[in-house]
Amino acid sequence: MALLSILCFPDPKLHTVAKPVLAVDDRIQTLIADMLETMYEAKGVGLAATQVDVHERLIVIDVSEGRDTPLVLINPQLIWASPETHLNEEGCLSVPGIYDGVQRHDCVKVEALDAEGQKRLIEADGLLAVCIQHEMDHLMGKVFVEYLSPLKRNRIKTKMLKAQREARE
Ligand code: NI
């Protein structure tokens, strides 16, 4: 297994739209293992392949307290979303240190392949529902800060660029 480097906002590669995974083969199994290791190491609850610069529809999530219940979603399709929505405080491994409110559906149903390539239906609410919506946005090239006002987004962009500059020095 290997730790992968995570793209940081405002890297334009984060806006790439991911393509479907064509086969759940050894390459994908290795990617899943590496993404899980990277997510746990970074103390995140979710990671989309887009964030590690692989533009295929693959997400790993773990919202459990014990950090021992990984969920793998390959080629996820949203098949239902509750009309009820909530404002949730979100963060993102690609926008470190930034947290802000995003309106999300309370419950979602998603169809996806699991790590073994089996089709599964996931019914999610609470943090898992928020996380799935956040990660599926990544696959569409969307970062959560794009829901915020242009003013806030620009402030975050400036802050991120400054932090990235300082990290290089
Ligand atoms: Ni994110």
Side-chain angles (χ1 to χ4, degrees):
M1 295 212 287
L3 283 179
L4 305 170
S5 66
I6 299 175
L7 297 175
C8 273
F9 181 81
D11 193 315
K13 292 199 278 287
L14 284 168
H15 303 307
T16 311
V17 177
K19 295 194 165 70
V21 170
L22 295 178
V24 184
D25 53 12
D26 287 354
R27 181 183 64 91
I28 291 295
Q29 299 291 351
T30 303
L31 179 60
I32 290 168
D34 291 348
M35 282 175 59
L36 281 168
E37 189 183 357
T38 303
M39 177 187 76
Y40 288 126
E41 169 74 20
K43 298 183 166 53
V45 292
L47 187 67
T50 307
Q51 293 175 274
V52 294
D53 206 16
V54 176
H55 302 286
E56 294 175 59
R57 295 181 57 79
L58 167 60
I59 290 168
V60 297
I61 289 175
D62 191 342
V63 294
S64 71
E65 279 202 21
R67 314 285 288 144
D68 54 2
T69 316
L71 177 68
V72 175
L73 301 181
I74 299 169
N75 298 339
Q77 303 276 2
L78 185 71
I79 57 173
W80 179 80
S82 65
E84 301 82 21
T85 63
H86 249 91
L87 193 67
N88 300 276
E89 176 115 316
E90 288 183 29
C92 179
L93 293 176
S94 291
V95 200
I98 303 292
Y99 300 89
D100 216 319
V102 178
Q103 202 78 28
R104 299 285 190 188
H105 300 287
D106 288 0
C107 306
V108 291
K109 285 185 194 172
V110 173
E111 214 168 61
L113 300 180
D114 64 16
E116 281 74 47
Q118 300 296 315
K119 193 182 258 193
R120 289 185 51 185
L121 177 69
I122 296 105
E123 299 190 39
D125 59 9
L127 176 58
L128 180 59
V130 172
C131 193
I132 287 174
Q133 290 169 79
H134 176 115
E135 301 309 331
M136 284 183 70
D137 273 354
H138 276 302
L139 300 180
M140 295 305 295
K142 189 161 187 175
V143 181
F144 85 101
V145 297
E146 287 164 62
Y147 289 103
L148 309 177
S149 69
L151 180 69
K152 267 192 184 174
R153 195 165 58 243
N154 276 323
R155 273 199 202 133
I156 292 167
K157 197 170 173 176
T158 306
K159 197 174 164 181
M160 289 294 114
L161 288 170
K162 185 166 176 276
Q164 286 160 28
R165 219 166 31 241
E166 284 168 2
R168 276 198 303 270
E169 277 163 8

